[in-house]
Amino acid sequence: MSVRAKKHLGQHFLKDELIAQKIADSLTEKDYKNVLEIGPGMGVLTKYLLKKKITTHVIEIDTESVEYLQAHYLNLANRIISKDFLKINLEDYFGKEQVAIIGNFPYNISTQIVFKTLENKHQIPEFSGMFQKEVAERIAEKAGSKKYGILSVLAQAFYKVEYLFTVPPTVFDPPPKVDSGVIRLIRKENYTLPVDEKLFFKVVKTAFQQRRKTLRNSLKTLNLSDSLREDTIFAKRPEQLSVEEFISLTSKIEKDAI
């Protein structure tokens, strides 16, 4: 029995054991006892996670994959969550405990998985996984590049992001049309921002929605005072600002509203 990859779920099953082991070994296993694998498919990565000292849980929306895992990984049976990761509340399954996230993520929901992780950063100390290479590079990119954007700033505000390695299409069944990239996010020791988090997200998203414009123009909708808009930072385009500068910009906007 094997599971058929389903296009509508964005499934590309990893078939290379060495790469599976490499992804599993990217976990530091520091400061958490649980790991949740998203979309385990037929368990090529799962089996390497089960060898670790941490407790492995998996979440899988595909009923065919769930049946396969239940039949082939008996020691995992009561830790298979047959749900959509994007719709669950982590606390329902892990209480207040910390849980790392790992997976060979379906391309079609990979950025949503990152945003869900950011929403739950208080509970997710580490995140390691495979994305479409372009998305992985975007998350890890530094300021000053065309790839640098919303995902880069928001992920790097709370996590240390490392691009680990590139994976060719040939190691998947079916092979995707593009290369993949594996990245790791390790939560910063101090991951609370010195500014209002909702405003920070809004500033970053609004700025990059018109990334070719200067901040003076792209942030017009925030109704900033004329005196604030004279600040030299507003002459820059969003891709020129580091994470720290976006935090500083948000602080200025906060004070402007008082």
Side-chain angles (χ1 to χ4, degrees):
M1 174 197 176
S2 68
V3 180
R4 185 177 48 86
K6 296 162 192 68
K7 202 172 181 181
H8 72 282
L9 292 176
Q11 288 175 329
H12 294 277
F13 294 135
L14 181 63
K15 56 183 186 179
D16 188 303
E17 300 285 338
L18 283 175
I19 289 172
Q21 182 157 18
K22 217 171 158 185
I23 296 170
D25 288 346
S26 69
L27 291 175
T28 66
E29 300 181 59
K30 284 179 188 164
D31 304 323
Y32 57 88
K33 295 192 189 87
N34 301 292
V35 61
L36 177 63
E37 182 190 356
I38 298 172
M42 288 182 283
V44 66
L45 172 59
T46 319
K47 65 170 167 284
Y48 293 104
L49 294 173
L50 286 167
K51 291 175 183 176
K52 297 189 172 293
K53 287 175 183 165
I54 47 178
T55 305
T56 299
H57 307 254
V58 300
I59 185 161
E60 178 58 77
I61 199 171
D62 179 16
T63 50
E64 201 184 352
S65 285
V66 170
E67 284 170 19
Y68 181 93
L69 293 165
Q70 283 169 338
H72 292 81
Y73 293 90
L74 300 178
N75 55 343
L76 187 68
N78 62 349
R79 298 194 305 279
I80 299 171
I81 304 166
S82 186
K83 300 266 184 189
D84 180 347
F85 173 72
L86 298 176
K87 293 177 181 169
I88 68 159
N89 180 347
L90 279 177
E91 287 193 6
D92 290 347
Y93 299 92
F94 299 97
K96 300 286 183 191
E97 284 190 26
Q98 299 285 290
V99 54
I101 300 291
I102 198 167
N104 166 26
F105 304 127
Y107 286 169
N108 54 353
I109 59 161
S110 63
T111 54
Q112 290 162 272
I113 289 171
V114 176
F115 282 117
K116 171 100 174 179
T117 296
L118 295 177
E119 280 167 33
N120 292 276
K121 58 190 171 295
H122 60 283
Q123 198 160 5
I124 302 173
E126 197 168 289
F127 174 104
S128 193
M130 180 138 53
F131 293 81
Q132 190 172 330
K133 187 185 179 197
E134 187 190 323
V135 177
E137 286 176 336
R138 248 195 344 240
I139 298 166
E141 195 60 75
K142 297 290 181 232
S145 147
K146 283 189 166 62
K147 288 179 183 169
Y148 181 73
I150 294 170
L151 269 180
S152 330
V153 178
L154 298 183
Q156 292 171 39
F158 307 102
Y159 290 86
K160 179 186 173 222
V161 183
E162 296 169 88
Y163 185 97
L164 300 178
F165 56 93
T166 302
V167 181
T170 48
V171 302
F172 295 96
D173 183 25
K177 292 186 170 70
V178 291
D179 282 346
S180 301
V182 175
I183 56 169
R184 176 173 60 204
L185 280 65
I186 297 176
R187 192 176 60 201
K188 293 179 176 178
E189 267 184 52
N190 180 9
Y191 61 92
T192 51
L193 298 181
V195 292
D196 180 77
E197 201 176 288
K198 276 188 182 161
L199 181 61
F200 175 72
F201 272 65
K202 187 179 181 182
V203 168
V204 173
K205 286 179 176 177
T206 308
F208 278 106
Q209 270 159 7
Q210 298 177 304
R211 63 179 300 142
R212 290 182 182 171
K213 294 187 175 180
T214 64
L215 295 168
R216 195 166 284 130
N217 290 315
S218 61
L219 297 179
K220 262 183 183 169
T221 53
L222 300 184
N223 299 321
L224 309 173
S225 68
D226 289 340
S227 60
L228 177 62
R229 289 177 66 213
E230 288 310 308
D231 191 302
T232 53
I233 199 167
F234 285 90
K236 292 184 173 186
R237 291 196 308 279
E239 68 193 45
Q240 295 174 292
L241 267 64
S242 67
V243 173
E244 289 70 28
E245 286 174 307
F246 265 110
I247 292 169
S248 167
L249 172 63
T250 306
S251 177
K252 289 175 182 186
I253 291 169
E254 249 178 349
K255 287 171 185 152
D256 188 59
I258 295 167

